[in-house]
Amino acid sequence: MNYCITIVLLLLLQFATSSSSNNIPDDFTFNGYLKLDGRAELSSNGLFTLTNSATRSMGHAFYNFPIQFKNSSNASVISFSTTFIFAIVPGYPTLGGHGIAFVMSPNKEIPGALPTQYLGLFNSSNDGNRSNHIVAVELDTVQDFEFNDINDNHVGVDINSLRSIKSAPAGYFADQNGSFRELNLISGDPMQVWVEYDGINRQLNVTMSPIHIPKPALPLLSLTKDLSPFLLEYMYVGFSSSTGLLQSDQYILGWSFKMNGQAQQINTSRLPKLPQSRLVKDDKQIKRILAIILPPIAFLLLLILILGSFFMTRMKKFMEVLEDWEVQYGPHRFGYKDLFIATKGFKDRELLGQGGFGRVYRGVLPTSNIQVAVKRVAHDSRQGLREFVAEIATIGRLRHPNLVRLLGYCRHKQELLLVYDYMPNGSLDRFLYGQLKGTLNWMQRFKIIKDVASGLFYLHQQWVQVIIHRDIKASNVLVDNEFNGRLGDFGLAKLCDHGTDLQTSHVAGTLGYIAPELARNGKASTSTDLFAFGAFMLEAVCGRRPVDRRASPEEVILVDWVFECLERGNILEAIDRQLGTEYVVEEAELVLKLGLLCSHAIAAARPSMTTVVQYLEGRAQLPDNLGDIIKSRDFSEASNEQDVLPTSIPSLTISEPFTSTGR
């Protein structure tokens, strides 16, 4: 279970005048800092610090009394103004948590709120619910595609949802001419934010700048919207923040608030000094610490160095590799003991499935109670260390709703383990061939095909580099609780820059999904992924593997069988009999024809993922001469990889389909 600790500012606030008859203050000023990562601590000088080294945590800091935003429940929101100074110090120089938000909420607890991408404000079930009555200004440091974030360094106005009503890259306008200067939210430098609402003109302005620069005349964001339907008569004001897989320290150094007037200016000369990052130390500070520590422990340190020199020499190379993985790619490293407990000792009853690359177990993390899937790579696995590192390097940085998310990894002696989000429904092949055969209806199958296409489009054309998956198949497509398709298992993935080709002599993939040209020349490309995706589409619609040696001779090769059905003028004959007549004819014909086009024996005839997504979304029509294109090459000449694999290829990886246990 993700935990949260709610912190309330109590006695350290300096009050001004009250605007209501019940003597509830309508303005206050606070100088001091809060460390917003989940654990509160009151220092001897009276400063609140919120700290927590754990990942996936969140913290709340609210003014203890509700503020009257309306004269009555049906009245309009009164003008208000607030300003605060914050700083986000990342655990790694360029990688931080999920950011911080100024919040107006009906209560101080925010029940059900989750950390990570939800910023301690909402959860998956209530995000977007009009009954939340939460208005926030987010300072977001992670780009979440599910919320349509513009980038990983932006400011946004949120109303009842993390899908911002309006957002802009973090920065400020230096002059009236609109000269924009960007600010890095995770730079560790203090920055000041002004949030001002004009109740008469119903306009919300958000402005920010470094603390050494006066308030810019031109706001960063200006939103004309009546907040009266969203704010109740009395609301609490404060801050919320959260961390994800990466740690960061988040601080509020000063804060003032006022109803019906301008918030009091914060005295920046009295701000406390920020502690330095856990990992990035100033040279001067290091020398000062060494000068204090080294003299009394010099002899002990020398003895330790002598005794440990041999051990450190042996481990130096291994330690450097770990640093590369953790710092450059950032996935969380789990302890082997935690994973052993989570999977109940890797018992067979927790086994989700197994394949050529090892076994996958279900587990529940002991500290957070989160369900995970643990992939335990076999000692003699064909995947091995190189593919293990590739998977960490690739999927550890990917963020897309149709890709399986890598939560972290573990190395124990010679064992290699990867920890993923748990998908209760397992892989797609369970629904096509396993215990759940026949339970997927047409709408679910079509949705999963479009989801996988969206994920593959992201890998090929939307990420900073081109990612060639090289092992697209039904057993590598996971199905979540809402029957969304997610592409996983990046152990064979390869990266290359946009506009360049990937050349490899190591042919990898699964029988039935390997493009003919890949088997001949060993050159993987987005086009070879398209071939595998075409075979996958036919597999999902027809309920049959691309190569089924138990079928009748004319049906052994699935692409040939669908092609023959097309030739006979009845392509729908190839559809999975489990569906009966319960499918949309136009959609079924589209997927079958598109599957043949993508798995065309000639690479140049295959479309790009951009075009495939347009076809599936109905934004483009298949070409009128599609039949001629498909018939331009006899599929039987190149569909069976075993017939075209040359003896000159140095190495070959052909995996068998993943076997699900049905658990």
Side-chain angles (χ1 to χ4, degrees), residues 329-399:
Y329 302 115
H332 177 63
R333 187 179 183 190
F334 288 90
Y336 180 78
K337 180 180 178 182
D338 290 338
L339 298 184
F340 188 86
I341 295 173
T343 58
K344 300 177 182 177
F346 297 101
K347 295 295 185 183
D348 286 344
R349 64 175 176 270
E350 301 300 324
L351 185 66
L352 295 173
Q354 57 187 349
F357 292 161
R359 294 186 164 197
V360 180
Y361 295 85
R362 176 178 49 200
V364 179
L365 296 177
T367 56
S368 59
N369 222 22
I370 296 174
Q371 288 195 86
V372 295
V374 181
K375 178 181 178 183
R376 192 179 190 185
V377 181
H379 290 276
D380 57 349
S381 166
R382 293 189 297 271
Q383 187 177 29
L385 180 61
R386 182 175 60 181
E387 284 76 15
F388 174 76
V389 176
E391 187 148 6
I392 290 178
T394 305
I395 195 174
R397 298 193 297 173
L398 300 177
R399 291 292 180 271

Side-chain angles (χ1 to χ4, degrees), residues 352 361-363 371-373 407 420-425 663:
L352 295 173
Y361 295 85
R362 176 178 49 200
Q371 288 195 86
V372 295
L407 301 178
Y420 301 93
D421 275 335
Y422 174 65
M423 299 291 160
N425 288 326
R663 288 183 172 84

Side-chain angles (χ1 to χ4, degrees), residues 64-100:
N64 198 38
F65 303 101
I67 302 295
Q68 186 173 11
F69 279 82
K70 302 178 180 179
N71 293 326
S72 66
S73 59
N74 295 324
S76 297
V77 171
I78 305 170
S79 299
F80 63 85
S81 170
T82 187
T83 182
F84 59 91
I85 296 176
F86 77 97
I88 300 176
V89 181
Y92 300 102
T94 59
L95 300 170
H98 280 262
I100 187 172

Side-chain angles (χ1 to χ4, degrees), residues 481-621:
N481 274 329
E482 299 176 353
F483 284 87
N484 298 307
R486 297 195 183 193
L487 183 59
D489 200 336
F490 287 72
L492 295 178
K494 296 295 181 184
L495 285 77
C496 64
D497 293 329
H498 287 277
T500 62
D501 293 328
L502 174 67
Q503 183 73 47
T504 176
S505 60
H506 183 89
V507 180
T510 301
L511 188 66
Y513 303 87
I514 300 176
E517 72 273 12
L518 176 61
R520 289 194 297 271
N521 58 31
K523 185 177 181 180
S525 66
T526 55
S527 184
T528 58
D529 267 1
L530 259 296
F531 184 93
F533 179 69
F536 161 75
M537 282 195 290
L538 296 179
E539 180 180 16
V541 175
C542 301
R544 295 181 39 196
R545 301 189 189 278
V547 178
D548 186 359
R549 303 192 184 282
R550 296 173 299 179
S552 58
E554 66 275 9
E555 298 182 15
V556 171
I557 306 299
L558 178 58
V559 66
D560 285 351
W561 164 240
V562 178
F563 178 67
E564 289 180 12
C565 293
L566 176 66
E567 288 271 75
R568 292 198 299 267
N570 187 16
I571 195 171
L572 297 179
E573 181 184 349
I575 288 183
D576 190 352
R577 295 173 183 172
Q578 298 287 339
L579 291 171
T581 59
E582 300 297 322
Y583 58 86
V584 180
V585 172
E586 294 79 6
E587 293 176 348
E589 288 183 346
L590 168 66
V591 175
L592 289 171
K593 291 178 180 178
L594 187 56
L596 288 178
L597 185 59
C598 290
S599 57
H600 200 290
I602 301 175
R606 300 169 202 152
S608 67
M609 279 310 303
T610 302
T611 308
V612 170
V613 171
Q614 290 175 343
Y615 288 152
L616 291 173
E617 294 293 340
R619 290 184 279 115
Q621 299 295 322

